[in-house]
Amino acid sequence: MVPKLNYDCLQNVFEHLESSDQGTLFNCILVNRSWFKILIPYLWENPFSIVHRNGAANSKKLLKTIISMFPFDKWTEEKLNSFKYYKVTYHKYRKSIRDYLDYMEIFKSAEFHGFIDKCSRVTPWKYKNLKRYYDEEEKKWILKPNHEYDESSISSTLTNHIFNIIFRNCTKISQFSLFNISNMIIQNNSNSFKNLSNICYLEVGKPYYLGNIFRDCKKIKKIVIHLHGYDTQDRWFGSSLLINFLKDQKELKAIHFLDLSNWNIRNIRYYQLRPIPEELLIQIHSIEELGMNCFILPCRQLNTLSKLKHLEITLWKWKPETIAAFDNGLCPLLEVLKFQDDFPPLDVLAKFIGKTKGHLQCFYIKNPNQNHYDHTQLLLKSIAKSCPKLNSLSTIINITKDLSFLKTLLISCNELKNFTLMSIDFMSQSLLQEQLRMMDENWGVVHEKCQYKKCKNIDSIKFNKYQIELKNYLIDH
């Protein structure tokens, strides 16, 4: 008979389960009490990720569990029950015996609002009974609000209640992303924000939140700032709240400036050099990871970040001045270099890689560019010469002309076990695999035809993607 696995062994096994795989976790907790005890923290680590499961039923079950632990006050419950077709329901035992939210470590704003949205919806067939009226301004028929069913009021009420619970009871949150929250919630919980003091990863949309909600956070290791437009950059970069907040972060290692606004409405001013105030530069001078979206620092400022190991750039277009700034940039300790959209000319890129002094371990180009196929051989030669520690690679290549340079790269970068090549030119999967297996019979190739489109006004780029891996590496991992 197989002996019973102890607690530590089971925990080591369950750590390989993804916390986002809610279905598997739910099935596992039903096995026995030991499994339940071990898995509950994983299941509740990021509870609002349940929104990714199809349908609203799972989100509503989660809401029922939460309000069974933290019931609505009488006034809130009466308000929600006053809406036709909406009724507050608790579990039969009414009050939960355990505070599962105490295990929550991750809060993501997008998941939370998706969860609230699903919990606020009425059952579709009930919409047939709702009264409609014609809005003269909108020129369309809409559901009559307030009198029958008002999703916005229900959503607002649920949001306020759940946020109050989180701020007052969840003390173990280490990752927090917040883009929008009402002032009323901030005022109601002003004395509870100290519970967020264990946050290590912060994603934030407004400077105001740093001086209020996250004022007691002193352990931030990575912060992602959402700029939301050119004018917002000025508000962020000139914000004393941001500077004072960063002064308290003695463990800060990474900062990303992210702009997710629509490419089609972005002004050409985005794709330019963007110096930041000296006082802000002083606060981030020792960071090891920097992400820049829609702008790039002048080389004078970039070169002051002497400890930089991870550089991630997202530019829709590289203008001459941004190319010049990158060309003169110097990051001798750089280990990771990523381009999430366009990238500089390959000869400039090859020169920059040559200045990393053998530290580069990851080089990543997300999408190809039809205008950047000159100097592919120069880039491959630079990587082969300057990156002996490279273990992750995604780059463009002229697949029909550059094979000999690729082979040289694989000999020099002997830690590289899997990589991605993108090419406008085509070579059959079998032929490329045959060429690579002349070096090592374990190389395997998977070919995929792809298409990349930047925006509506620009033609899409058709290219070939080759995923290449060592077979024995796959077995080991």
Side-chain angles (χ1 to χ4, degrees), residues 18-30 43 46-62 110-111 114-115 117-119 121:
E18 293 289 338
S19 59
S20 58
D21 187 1
Q22 298 271 347
T24 302
L25 292 174
F26 274 121
N27 290 332
C28 288
I29 64 172
L30 299 176
L43 189 62
N46 183 15
F48 300 114
S49 63
I50 200 169
V51 73
H52 298 302
R53 301 185 73 184
N54 293 332
N58 292 303
S59 293
K60 291 181 177 180
K61 289 177 182 177
L62 174 60
E111 291 178 346
F115 160 79
D117 179 61
K118 287 188 174 183
C119 292
R121 293 177 190 169

Side-chain angles (χ1 to χ4, degrees), residues 17-20 39-49 100 103-107 173-175:
L17 290 175
E18 293 289 338
S19 59
S20 58
L39 284 166
I40 279 295
Y42 294 100
L43 189 62
W44 283 87
E45 179 184 45
N46 183 15
F48 300 114
S49 63
Y100 296 114
Y103 297 115
M104 187 165 76
E105 296 182 11
I106 301 171
F107 177 90
I173 299 179
S174 59
Q175 299 180 37

Side-chain angles (χ1 to χ4, degrees), residues 57-193:
N58 292 303
S59 293
K60 291 181 177 180
K61 289 177 182 177
L62 174 60
L63 175 64
K64 185 187 291 189
T65 301
I66 291 174
I67 64 175
S68 294
M69 294 185 288
F70 304 96
F72 292 116
D73 58 71
K74 184 178 179 181
W75 181 86
T76 303
E77 188 169 335
E78 288 178 352
K79 180 181 179 182
L80 288 170
N81 285 330
S82 68
F83 294 105
K84 193 173 182 180
Y85 304 122
Y86 191 89
K87 182 174 177 59
V88 176
T89 56
Y90 296 92
H91 288 301
K92 292 181 180 179
Y93 48 79
R94 182 72 178 187
K95 176 67 175 174
S96 175
I97 60 173
R98 189 190 295 253
D99 175 10
Y100 296 114
L101 279 178
D102 185 53
Y103 297 115
M104 187 165 76
E105 296 182 11
I106 301 171
F107 177 90
K108 296 181 179 180
S109 186
E111 291 178 346
F112 174 77
H113 289 293
F115 160 79
I116 293 294
D117 179 61
K118 287 188 174 183
C119 292
S120 305
R121 293 177 190 169
V122 68
T123 307
W125 66 266
K126 294 179 179 177
Y127 273 115
K128 298 178 182 178
N129 301 321
L130 301 188
K131 295 180 180 179
R132 293 154 60 89
Y133 75 97
Y134 190 75
D135 189 307
E136 293 292 343
E137 293 183 2
E138 297 289 335
K139 303 298 182 185
K140 64 180 182 180
W141 289 90
I142 63 175
L143 294 175
K144 194 171 184 179
N146 297 326
H147 303 294
E148 297 287 349
Y149 190 85
D150 184 0
E151 284 190 9
S152 63
S153 293
I154 295 172
S155 174
S156 176
T157 304
L158 291 177
T159 299
N160 291 345
H161 183 74
I162 305 300
F163 260 131
N164 291 344
I165 292 171
I166 291 170
F167 288 136
R168 295 174 185 179
N169 299 277
C170 300
T171 61
K172 297 178 182 177
I173 299 179
S174 59
Q175 299 180 37
F176 206 107
S177 69
L178 184 64
F179 308 132
N180 195 24
I181 188 174
S182 71
N183 288 332
M184 183 179 72
I185 297 175
I186 295 176
Q187 293 169 5
N188 290 343
N189 294 278
S190 59
N191 295 323
S192 302
F193 296 141

Side-chain angles (χ1 to χ4, degrees), residues 205-232:
K206 294 180 181 179
Y208 172 68
Y209 300 156
L210 297 179
N212 290 272
I213 300 174
F214 304 110
R215 61 178 181 264
D216 293 309
C217 299
K218 312 291 184 184
K219 303 176 183 178
I220 304 294
K221 294 181 179 178
K222 180 175 180 177
I223 181 170
V224 179
I225 295 173
H226 286 251
L227 300 173
H228 299 298
Y230 186 83
D231 295 332
T232 314

